Amino acid sequence: MAKIAPSLLSADFADLKNEIRKVENGGADYLHLDVMDGIFVPNITFGAPVIKKIRKVTSLPFDVHLMIDRPERYIKDFADAGADIITVHQEATIHLHRTIHEIKSYGKMAGVSLNPATPLETIEYILDDIDLILIMTVNPGFGGQSFINQMDRKIKKMRKIIDERNLNIILEVDGGVKLSNAKDIISWGADLLVVGSDIFNAEDVEFRTKEFKRL
């Protein structure tokens, strides 16, 4: 059964505590936290201090997605702030193997994210070391974008690799996920769906979260 990770990128930042409570009540499995630095992606969001603060208001696992240049500089900060999963981009760090093992040294799950144009082959030799693969189905940096249709092949291919090699890896999909396409994405092999605007822009955030859970 696929799980849901609402992305705070689309939440009301002036009322985060209540926004988190709504998705909790709706049955969210994780909370997805997009960290952007204005360098790796053309946007700036928040960092470890904000995550440390909201860690106090929820017991949901924190799925922290670092869309930042040279993320190895800040792994300890996000681990200390309360991250449960720390995901870095293959494109953002030169020594990916070293970065993954630093994440794991803090007792955290380690993930690798791939931009839409980045081939799966670039992480072939790290698959045995990671806990999660995040397939970006939009170009990262902004919420509310449309799903890139060609990414269905990429998701299916990654699912096949995971299954054929019997890897214990969560396959996560992020970008343009909506009620209208979620069933298809799940059928392609996704284990975890990141949903931003289609949850937090809904009239009833809790009910919309429940709708995704019913899928």
Side-chain angles (χ1 to χ4, degrees), residues 196-209:
S197 58
D198 209 41
I199 283 181
F200 285 108
N201 290 351
E203 186 174 337
D204 187 329
V205 171
E206 180 179 332
F207 181 73
R208 179 56 61 86
T209 307

Side-chain angles (χ1 to χ4, degrees), residues 113-164:
S113 184
L114 298 177
N115 283 339
T118 303
L120 296 176
E121 287 75 15
T122 61
I123 57 170
E124 179 179 355
Y125 298 107
I126 197 75
L127 289 176
D128 291 325
D129 298 290
I130 60 179
D131 304 296
L132 179 146
I133 292 170
L134 173 53
I135 302 294
M136 293 301 302
T137 46
V138 299
N139 289 294
F142 298 96
Q145 299 184 69
S146 297
F147 186 95
I148 298 173
N149 290 329
Q150 301 95 310
M151 292 301 101
D152 64 336
R153 301 196 302 272
K154 194 172 188 180
I155 296 166
K156 291 173 185 176
K157 185 176 180 180
M158 192 67 249
R159 178 79 267 163
K160 184 178 180 182
I161 292 169
I162 291 171
D163 292 345
E164 286 182 348

Side-chain angles (χ1 to χ4, degrees), residues 167-208:
L167 298 167
N168 187 25
I169 293 177
I170 297 168
L171 178 52
E172 184 174 26
V173 173
D174 181 4
V177 178
K178 303 182 183 302
L179 274 176
S180 59
N181 62 13
K183 281 188 177 180
D184 287 335
I185 297 169
I186 293 168
S187 74
W188 300 333
D191 300 308
L192 179 58
L193 304 182
V194 178
V195 188
S197 58
D198 209 41
I199 283 181
F200 285 108
N201 290 351
E203 186 174 337
D204 187 329
V205 171
E206 180 179 332
F207 181 73
R208 179 56 61 86

